[in-house]
């Protein structure tokens, strides 16, 4: 006979809520509380292993800090006396700053305020930012609410600060901005090139595969501005100067062309305009690897880069990249340079090769697929009216053109650049509503805050970095609304009930299948339930599609394109060439940023697990051992845009002289005050991977020189 404990205990399969790897998980639940998380041994993505975030980072679900009831800011009610008077009997005091009420009342107040703003200023005075942390159903409803209910083209998501350049670069050259192959093709490849990705900490379950193969075949090249943990397993540990990605990638193309290592048959049959591209490369003075001999401290790359290019060209090869590629001035062009390498060598469109942008958020691929971008509708159809990208929206707020913001799961005052400017922009709004799990930094600017279900409390589709759809199911039950439910309530109250008649998440998804048929027409809930452990990779018709571009590319004519962009001499490389970089003093250090394994982005969820917070309780600055003694163990960083708070310093031999690395997980560090409006010139993704800073020692240990 089963005990009461056994009856109340259950195991539920779902998908991890953290990074874009999209690991399958099983939650052990007792009395509606998650007590353990593990991966099944036959898990297709996880392979039976989870990183520490996936394994231990579930305490946030029932954390006492969860937003359990809507909050209406008292100052907002004071500025809107008619709304206050109308709903006063439905409001109770929550604390010194907020009143609270039911979700029904909160959406009524929000809808009436949005109706007022739309009538007074027009629909395009409204914008919506977010959507990559929720399900596809939530993301789809989000952009639909913005475009159809509010009649505004201004919708964006956190891809703006991560992989928008991957979408732009890949779509320009091969017609599709997503990963070409499944993760397990790592076991089929002969050579792996990882560039601008700290894979072991940012995407550890993918790194597991890389390490296993690299140990067996010694076939890994890692290119980065510092020595990451993955480099320990690399045949080529290629540490490059800051902002030199495009320089190195073009040099690889030069070597492949100059030594005639390209696949002429593939070029002739699958691409166009190669001869024009070839001529540009061979006549670019910065494309010849000999140029590297002039860069003091990096001279050895003149031999290493050609060796990497040769192995990539003559073997069945895969390229993986992260934000170390995209978060630059030339991020989109660097992605195009990556696709050029695949097009020249035929390393695309078959097993064991291909292109893998390592996506960040759990559903950032899905949010983009759903149309949470100002220039694309769902299914990447061109938007009839192109809206503003997030940095442009900040300018429009400061100029008074944007009056209202709906924010859903994106902590823009923490994770976006130039946070001093964003603070001013947010203060200039007439109305801001936030849908969130916790009182993150952005909620300080919110007039209405509605708590919603987390990924572990709802049913929904998530799309991982390899286009894999996973239908999640709730591990625990919650009375909170899902994101799409909040949006549906508001749309109906704004008179758009005919477009928002959803009663279940499946209703939302069935509409997605209709409006985005090229990718999702065959992906009904029933099939996704049957394939819950394996998942299905879009496009999904009768079957799914693990490998893209088997016969042609998704361009208009089916051919791959070469879109050459020459490297522009600037920054650290320019300073080294001009003999200005290695000068004494605490100015002119180059800083890059990245994640630490225990936390995820703004750590809103991970900092609710004590064991994870203990491992990384503050952002830390890493500096070269060669710079030890110059500025002590506590410093403030200052750029032309702003200052950080004081940071503890760790000295390491993994960092090159006069370069720095820091994490950005904790809002109190104010790391993003250092970054300004400098961004990718095509798609406005911030230059988070390179900023020039001055070091200000804190305390009496070292005198400032």
């Amino acid at each position: 006979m089963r005990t009461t404990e056994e009856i109340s205990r259950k195991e539920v399969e779902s998908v991890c809520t953290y990074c874009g790897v999209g690991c399958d998980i099983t939650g052990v639940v007792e009395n509606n509380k998650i007590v353990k998380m593990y991966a099944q041994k036959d898990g297709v993505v996880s392979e039976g292993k989870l990183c520490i975030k996936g394994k231990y980072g579930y305490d946030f679900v029932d954390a006492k800090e969860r937003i359990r009831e809507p909050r209406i800011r008292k100052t907002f009610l004071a500025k809107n006396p008619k709304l206050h008077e109308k709903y006063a009997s439905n409001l109770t005091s929550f604390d010194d700053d907020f009143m609270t009420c039911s979700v029904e009342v909160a959406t009524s107040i929000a809808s009436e305020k949005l109706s007022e703003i739309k009538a007074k200023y027009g629909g395009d005075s409204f914008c919506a930012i977010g959507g990559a942390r929720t399900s596809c159903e939530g993301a789809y409803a989000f952009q639909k609410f913005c475009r159809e209910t509010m009649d505004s083209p201004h919708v964006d998501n956190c891809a703006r600060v991560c992989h928008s350049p991957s979408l732009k670069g890949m779509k320009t050259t091969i017609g599709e901005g997503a990963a070409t192959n499944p993760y397990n093709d790592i076991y089929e490849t002969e050579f792996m090139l990882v560039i601008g990705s700290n894979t072991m900490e940012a995407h550890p379950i993918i790194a597991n595969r890389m390490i296993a193969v690299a140990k067996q075949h010694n076939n890994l090249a890692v290119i980065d501005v510092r020595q990451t943990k993955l480099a320990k397993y690399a045949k080529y540990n290629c540490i490059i100067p800051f902002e030199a990605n495009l320089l190195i990638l073009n040099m690889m193309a030069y070597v492949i062309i100059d030594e005639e290592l390209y696949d002429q048959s593939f070029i002739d049959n699958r691409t166009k305009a190669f001869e024009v591209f070839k001529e540009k490369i061979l006549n670019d003075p910065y494309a010849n690897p000999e140029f590297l001999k002039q860069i003091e401290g990096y001279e050895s790359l003149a031999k290493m880069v050609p060796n990497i290019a040769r192995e990539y060209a003559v073997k069945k090869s895969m390229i993986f990249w992260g934000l170390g590629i995209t978060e630059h001035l030339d991020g989109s062009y660097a992605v195009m340079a990556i696709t050029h390498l695949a097009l020249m060598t035929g390393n695309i469109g078959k097993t064991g090769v291909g292109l893998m942008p390592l996506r960040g958020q759990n559903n950032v691929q899905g949010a983009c697929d759903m149309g949470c971008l100002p220039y694309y509708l769902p299914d990447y159809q061109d938007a009839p009216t192109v809206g503003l990208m997030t940095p442009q929206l900040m300018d429009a707020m400061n100029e008074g053109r944007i009056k209202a913001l709906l924010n859903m799961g994106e902590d823009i005052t923490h994770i976006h650049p130039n946070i001093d400017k964003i603070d001013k922009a947010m203060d200039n709004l007439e109305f801001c509503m936030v849908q969130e799990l916790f009182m993150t930094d952005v909620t300080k600017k919110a007039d209405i805050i509605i708590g919603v279900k987390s990924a572990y409390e709802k049913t929904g589709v998530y799309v991982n970095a390899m286009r894999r759809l996973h239908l999640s199911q709730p591990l625990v039950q919650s009375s909170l609304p899902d994101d799409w439910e909040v949006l549906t309530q508001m749309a109906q109250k704004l008179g758009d009930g005919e477009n928002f008649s959803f009663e279940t998440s499946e209703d939302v998804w069935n509409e997605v299948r209709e409006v985005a048929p090229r990718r999702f027409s065959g992906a009904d809930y029933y099939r996704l339930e049957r394939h819950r452990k394996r998942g299905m990779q879009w496009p999904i018709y009768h079957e799914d599609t693990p490998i893209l571009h088997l016969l042609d590319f998704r361009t208009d004519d089916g051919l791959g394109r070469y879109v050459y962009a020459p490297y522009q001499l600037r920054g650290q490389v320019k300073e080294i060439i001009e003999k200005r970089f290695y000068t004494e003093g605490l100015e002119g250090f180059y800083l890059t940023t990245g994640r630490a394994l225990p936390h995820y982005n703004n750590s809103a969820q991970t900092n609710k697990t004590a064991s994870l917070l203990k491992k990384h309780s503050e952002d830390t600055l890493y500096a070269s051992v060669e710079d030890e003694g110059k500025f002590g163990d506590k410093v403030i960083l200052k750029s032309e845009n702003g200052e950080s708070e004081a940071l503890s310093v760790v000295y390491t031999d993994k960092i090159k002289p006069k370069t720095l690395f820091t994490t950005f997980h904790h809002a109190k560090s104010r790391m993003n005050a250092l970054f300004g409006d400098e961004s990718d010139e095509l798609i406005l993704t911030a230059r988070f991977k390179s900023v020039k800073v001055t070091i200000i020692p804190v305390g009496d240990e070292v005198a400032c020189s």
Side-chain angles (χ1 to χ4, degrees):
M1 188 172 179
R2 297 173 67 196
T3 65
T4 303
E5 181 180 344
E6 288 173 328
I7 292 171
S8 66
R9 182 185 176 97
K10 62 180 181 178
E11 296 192 1
V12 186
E13 294 180 358
S14 196
V15 64
C16 182
T17 187
Y18 290 106
C19 76
V21 175
C23 288
D24 44 274
I25 58 170
T26 297
V28 180
V29 180
E30 294 180 0
N31 299 317
N32 206 41
K33 179 181 174 67
I34 303 169
V35 297
K36 182 180 179 181
M37 201 80 80
Y38 72 95
Q40 300 280 357
K41 290 183 179 179
D42 60 348
V44 173
V45 172
S46 69
E47 298 187 312
K49 299 177 181 178
L50 297 176
C51 77
I52 58 173
K53 292 186 288 292
K55 191 172 184 178
Y56 301 111
Y58 52 80
D59 290 351
F60 71 89
V61 175
D62 55 0
K64 66 181 187 301
E65 299 94 341
R66 282 291 295 275
I67 303 169
R68 301 289 179 185
E69 59 289 292
R71 303 176 190 183
I72 317 292
R73 195 173 295 275
K74 291 178 179 178
T75 53
F76 168 77
L77 293 169
K79 293 175 184 176
N80 294 271
K82 291 182 179 179
L83 285 173
H84 192 187
E85 183 180 355
K86 181 175 179 179
Y87 292 100
S89 62
N90 302 106
L91 302 171
T92 57
S93 184
F94 180 80
D95 59 19
D96 291 344
D97 298 317
F98 293 101
M99 304 294 282
T100 188
C101 60
S102 67
V103 173
E104 183 70 31
V105 171
T107 56
S108 294
I109 295 173
S111 299
E112 290 188 36
K113 184 61 182 178
L114 288 176
S115 178
E116 173 192 314
I117 288 172
K118 183 178 179 182
K120 186 175 181 180
Y121 303 108
D124 63 357
S125 67
F126 169 85
C127 71
I129 301 174
R133 296 297 300 154
T134 191
S135 63
C136 285
E137 292 84 345
Y140 174 77
F142 188 65
Q143 62 83 35
K144 181 182 173 77
F145 179 85
C146 182
R147 288 188 164 107
E148 298 182 19
T149 305
M150 290 303 295
D151 195 27
S152 172
H154 306 313
V155 59
D156 209 351
N157 79 86
C158 71
R160 187 64 48 217
V161 291
C162 59
H163 272 285
S164 286
S166 293
L167 173 57
K168 179 66 174 179
M170 295 176 77
K171 207 166 192 311
T172 300
T173 50
I174 57 176
E176 186 69 86
T180 62
N181 291 61
Y183 303 148
N184 282 353
D185 272 24
I186 291 171
Y187 297 123
E188 307 295 329
T189 195
E190 296 172 345
F191 188 71
M192 298 174 290
L193 172 58
V194 178
I195 179 168
S197 168
N198 180 19
T199 320
M200 282 185 67
E201 298 200 67
H203 302 91
I205 302 304
I206 293 179
N208 286 346
R209 291 166 166 84
M210 294 176 175
I211 293 167
V213 172
K215 283 182 175 179
Q216 185 176 0
H217 298 292
N218 192 27
N219 61 348
L220 172 65
V222 176
I223 301 177
D224 212 305
V225 296
R226 65 189 180 105
Q227 183 173 324
T228 63
K229 290 183 178 179
L230 186 63
K232 176 183 176 182
Y233 305 95
K235 180 177 182 178
Y236 302 105
N237 174 25
C238 185
I239 301 177
I240 66 174
F242 277 55
E243 300 175 57
N245 291 322
L246 187 58
L247 175 71
I248 299 300
L249 291 163
N250 283 346
M251 285 177 175
M252 288 182 64
Y254 179 99
V255 171
I256 291 168
I257 290 172
D258 183 55
E259 299 182 10
E260 298 185 353
L261 302 175
Y262 47 82
D263 185 334
Q264 189 66 59
S265 176
F266 189 92
I267 289 168
D268 292 343
N269 292 315
R270 299 287 306 273
T271 74
K272 64 182 182 182
F274 175 70
E275 291 302 322
V276 175
F277 172 73
K278 177 180 177 180
E279 183 179 359
K280 288 180 178 179
I281 281 277
L282 294 178
N283 287 287
D284 183 348
Y286 296 126
N288 190 326
E290 290 294 305
F291 174 70
L292 292 167
K293 293 179 178 179
Q294 303 176 44
I295 306 177
E296 183 183 350
Y298 298 88
E299 298 92 339
S300 63
L301 299 184
K303 288 186 177 180
M304 187 182 293
V305 170
N307 285 337
I308 294 172
R310 291 173 189 126
E311 286 215 43
Y312 174 82
V314 302
K315 292 181 176 179
K316 195 164 65 168
S317 302
M318 298 182 77
I319 305 182
F320 304 81
W321 70 94
L323 306 189
I325 281 285
T326 59
E327 291 181 339
H328 283 287
L329 300 179
D330 52 14
S332 293
Y333 291 128
V335 174
M336 293 177 202
I338 287 171
T339 62
H340 294 157
L341 297 176
L343 291 174
M344 285 191 298
T345 60
N347 272 312
I348 191 169
K350 57 189 177 186
T351 301
V353 302
L355 304 168
M356 179 66 74
L358 296 173
R359 295 279 186 169
Q361 301 277 18
N362 63 333
N363 199 37
V364 67
Q365 179 69 60
C368 295
D369 297 344
M370 294 302 105
C372 287
L373 292 166
Y375 32 77
Y376 288 132
L377 301 178
D379 229 7
Y380 300 97
Q381 301 169 77
D382 290 337
T385 302
V386 176
L388 299 177
M389 294 177 271
T390 300
Q392 296 168 324
L393 288 171
M394 295 303 127
D395 290 334
M397 289 177 194
N398 276 315
E399 294 163 8
R401 293 185 286 123
I402 295 291
K403 301 293 185 179
L405 165 67
L406 174 61
N407 179 271
M408 188 169 78
E410 185 163 346
D411 197 3
I412 57 177
T413 59
H414 177 181
I415 69 167
H416 283 254
N418 209 342
I419 52 177
D420 290 334
K421 176 181 174 179
I422 289 178
D423 282 343
K424 293 175 184 176
M426 298 283 284
D427 289 338
N428 214 29
L429 291 170
E430 288 193 17
F431 179 62
C432 174
M433 174 176 153
V434 173
Q435 294 173 214
E436 254 298 355
L437 307 185
F438 299 100
M439 296 295 285
T440 57
D441 196 72
V442 71
T443 63
K444 296 174 184 176
K445 305 294 183 179
D447 298 303
I448 296 179
I449 305 157
I450 297 182
V452 292
K453 289 178 178 176
S454 72
Y456 292 158
E457 297 164 308
K458 62 188 178 185
T459 299
V461 175
Y462 293 83
V463 187
N464 77 351
M466 66 176 191
R467 300 174 283 109
R468 173 187 184 266
L469 278 68
H470 187 117
L471 179 59
S472 73
Q473 56 184 334
L475 304 181
V476 295
Q477 301 304 309
S478 170
S479 60
L480 291 169
D482 202 340
D483 286 303
W484 66 264
E485 292 178 294
V486 174
L487 296 162
T488 297
Q489 277 193 30
M490 292 205 299
Q492 290 173 348
K493 291 171 182 178
L494 283 161
D496 199 21
E498 188 174 340
N499 280 324
F500 276 82
S501 58
F502 310 124
E503 295 184 3
T504 67
S505 62
E506 189 171 7
D507 291 340
V508 184
W509 183 249
N510 284 336
E511 183 168 305
V512 170
R513 291 170 56 218
E514 291 178 6
V515 303
R518 291 184 64 210
R519 287 165 179 79
F520 306 115
S521 60
D524 59 46
Y525 265 25
Y526 175 70
R527 294 186 74 192
L528 294 177
E529 285 170 358
R530 289 175 60 203
H531 294 282
R532 194 186 303 278
K533 191 165 289 187
R534 183 183 78 84
M536 301 183 76
Q537 288 177 263
W538 67 246
I540 303 167
Y541 304 112
H542 298 298
E543 302 291 340
D544 64 346
T545 312
I547 299 175
L548 292 178
H549 315 301
L550 290 169
L551 299 176
D552 54 16
F553 295 105
R554 304 191 83 174
T555 54
D556 292 340
D557 56 12
L559 298 175
R561 299 187 178 96
Y562 303 93
V563 183
Y564 185 63
Y567 166 76
Q568 302 294 321
L569 183 64
R570 62 169 175 266
Q572 182 188 359
V573 175
K574 189 172 189 289
E575 291 179 19
I576 292 175
I577 294 291
E578 296 175 353
K579 308 296 183 185
R580 295 186 290 115
F581 181 67
Y582 297 109
T583 55
E584 293 299 318
L586 301 184
E587 297 181 359
F589 278 70
Y590 278 83
L591 172 73
T592 194
T593 61
R595 297 180 195 155
L597 179 61
H599 282 304
Y600 194 77
N601 279 26
N602 67 344
S603 70
Q605 295 176 171
T606 47
N607 67 21
K608 304 303 183 293
T609 297
S611 60
L612 297 181
L613 185 59
K614 185 178 180 180
K615 288 178 182 295
H616 192 282
S617 60
E618 64 178 11
D619 290 316
T620 304
L621 184 70
Y622 292 84
S624 170
V625 290
E626 296 182 43
D627 291 317
E628 190 169 2
K630 294 180 180 178
F631 40 80
D633 59 6
K634 201 85 170 178
V635 303
I636 290 171
L637 301 180
K638 181 178 181 180
S639 74
E640 62 181 13
N641 304 299
E643 290 186 8
S644 72
E645 291 298 311
L647 301 167
S648 298
V649 184
V650 173
Y651 295 95
T652 172
D653 60 1
K654 312 302 184 194
I655 305 286
K656 285 277 201 175
K658 291 210 72 177
T659 69
L660 307 164
F661 168 81
T662 184
T663 53
F664 54 82
H665 297 298
H666 304 283
K668 63 184 180 183
S669 308
R670 289 185 52 79
M671 293 311 309
N672 286 10
L674 297 170
F675 301 93
D677 292 337
E678 301 86 1
S679 61
D680 179 271
E681 63 179 77
L682 300 181
I683 218 72
L684 302 188
T685 293
R687 186 174 66 173
F688 279 131
K689 295 305 179 186
S690 177
V691 66
K692 197 172 179 179
V693 297
T694 295
I695 296 175
I696 303 173
V698 176
D700 301 325
E701 298 95 335
V702 179
C704 183
S705 59

